[in-house]
Amino acid sequence: MTKWFSEKLYPSYAQSFGIKRVLFERNTGHQHLIIFENEDMGNVMALDGIIQTTERDEFMYHEMLAHVPLFAHHNPKKVLIIGGGDGGIAREVVRHKQIERIVQVEIDQAVIDMAREYFPRHSNGAFDDPRLEIVIEDGFRFVHETDEKFDVIISDSTDPVGPGEVLFTNDFYRGVRRCLNDKGIFAAQNGVAFMQPEEVTNTWRRFEGIFADRWFYVVPVPTYVGGFMTLAWGSLDTTARQLPIETIEQRFHDSGIETRYYTPEVHKAAFALPRYILDLLH
């Protein structure tokens, strides 16, 4: 391999991927999108120079961002996905058979189109599920204007730069709150705490007064370098995070879902935060 892709997320630290073959590259009008093949990670997608997903390790992130709030909720029927254009979150959500309606709001149709072509295993047919409605719109605007209410809202956004920046603001979280049913749960991508500590601190402060229960849970994702990825948790049900493991095990068993990373034990353990993350909650 003679070409390398170097991620531009941090000013003085980078990871690089050898490019076996560039599959697609263009400016979509919202962001610069490149998809390339890497020998170790399979197909890789980057937006504005920042790695979004790879074929090899995506299951860890998508399973935890989707299944933790869905199994924590007592009976999710309606789910809103913000972002997630690669289809990984939708794939995991549609596996919950009791869910009746799923709305996915993605700002960039090109991301969905390219994911269908170059990451078909991410969505695995989820985009064709009759319960799923795709809305091409800004997620911030949607949560402030929709008349619908949801049991679970999942924000699978880019980092808080460019189009994703507004999805980490007080106003966005208030919009999420107005769209949640009683006992609703919100989960969101919240950066790698070791490398992006301000993301955790800012979200912790912004959740105050909006969600009855606010916390974080963690998942390791190899290509999101720097240790644990933190996932934000905001719930209107103060008991959902504290469920007995027996309850989660029963819900998981009844679902018949097979996973590669998520287990009820991992679900419970993920909320136990290491000290360096706890120290950011002030």
Side-chain angles (χ1 to χ4, degrees):
M1 288 176 288
T2 58
K3 294 180 65 178
W4 288 82
F5 176 91
S6 184
E7 189 175 48
K8 300 179 176 67
L9 184 56
Y10 307 113
S12 61
Y13 177 85
Q15 63 172 333
S16 296
F17 294 77
I19 298 176
K20 185 176 181 180
R21 182 165 54 116
V22 174
L23 302 174
F24 181 87
E25 184 173 13
R26 84 168 191 207
N27 192 313
T28 69
H30 292 282
Q31 51 209 334
H32 177 266
L33 168 63
I34 183 172
I35 299 170
F36 60 88
E37 184 181 353
N38 174 267
E39 286 189 357
D40 290 307
M41 293 298 175
N43 289 356
V44 179
M45 179 191 292
L47 292 172
D48 289 337
I50 301 171
I51 297 297
Q52 301 301 309
T53 192
T54 80
E55 285 185 309
R56 187 174 179 187
D57 68 359
E58 57 83 16
F59 68 95
M60 305 176 191
Y61 171 80
H62 289 130
E63 287 186 9
M64 289 298 283
L65 187 51
H67 295 313
V68 171
L70 289 172
F71 283 121
H73 193 281
H74 67 287
N75 189 27
K77 296 292 186 182
K78 294 181 65 178
V79 176
L80 172 63
I81 303 169
I82 304 291
D86 59 46
I89 294 296
R91 178 196 68 215
E92 298 303 322
V93 172
V94 302
R95 299 173 76 190
H96 292 255
K97 301 306 180 186
Q98 84 279 13
I99 293 173
E100 298 172 353
R101 175 163 166 75
I102 306 158
V103 178
Q104 179 166 355
V105 180
E106 165 62 52
I107 195 171
D108 196 342
Q109 178 69 51
V111 175
I112 293 178
D113 293 341
M114 293 304 101
R116 279 179 176 271
E117 183 172 355
Y118 297 110
F119 297 87
R121 288 192 294 271
H122 272 54
S123 56
N124 196 32
F127 288 135
D128 300 316
D129 191 292
R131 297 171 294 167
L132 177 66
E133 176 188 355
I134 300 290
V135 178
I136 302 302
E137 189 179 328
D138 178 81
F140 181 90
R141 183 181 300 115
F142 182 89
V143 297
H144 284 283
E145 295 181 356
T146 183
D147 294 326
E148 286 198 73
K149 298 275 190 177
F150 300 90
D151 300 308
V152 172
I153 299 177
I154 299 170
S155 179
D156 180 15
S157 69
T158 57
D159 285 279
V161 292
E165 187 172 6
V166 297
L167 302 183
F168 292 80
T169 61
N170 293 68
D171 286 342
F172 174 68
Y173 299 140
R174 291 190 189 101
V176 167
R177 170 65 179 82
R178 71 175 287 274
C179 295
L180 280 172
N181 283 322
D182 292 342
K183 298 191 175 181
I185 298 172
F186 172 60
Q189 184 275 119
N190 211 90
V192 175
F194 187 81
M195 301 296 293
Q196 300 160 301
E198 69 285 349
E199 289 191 32
V200 170
T201 300
N202 289 340
T203 298
W204 177 249
R205 293 171 179 169
R206 291 166 183 170
F207 273 21
E208 186 174 15
I210 297 176
F211 300 104
D213 183 43
R214 55 181 174 143
W215 200 247
F216 298 88
Y217 61 105
V218 294
V219 57
V221 184
T223 48
Y224 299 157
V225 297
F228 283 122
M229 161 72 68
T230 46
L231 305 175
W233 167 276
S235 178
L236 306 185
D237 180 359
T238 57
T239 67
R241 180 164 57 92
Q242 308 291 348
L243 289 177
I245 193 167
E246 293 78 13
T247 300
I248 302 169
E249 286 174 336
Q250 188 63 55
R251 292 176 181 177
F252 184 58
H253 176 268
D254 291 346
S255 75
I257 294 172
E258 295 183 1
T259 53
R260 296 176 62 200
Y261 184 86
Y262 176 93
T263 68
E265 293 79 9
V266 166
H267 178 131
K268 289 288 289 185
F271 287 100
L273 302 179
R275 172 53 58 187
Y276 76 90
I277 296 179
L278 288 173
D279 287 343
L280 300 174
L281 310 185
H282 56 76

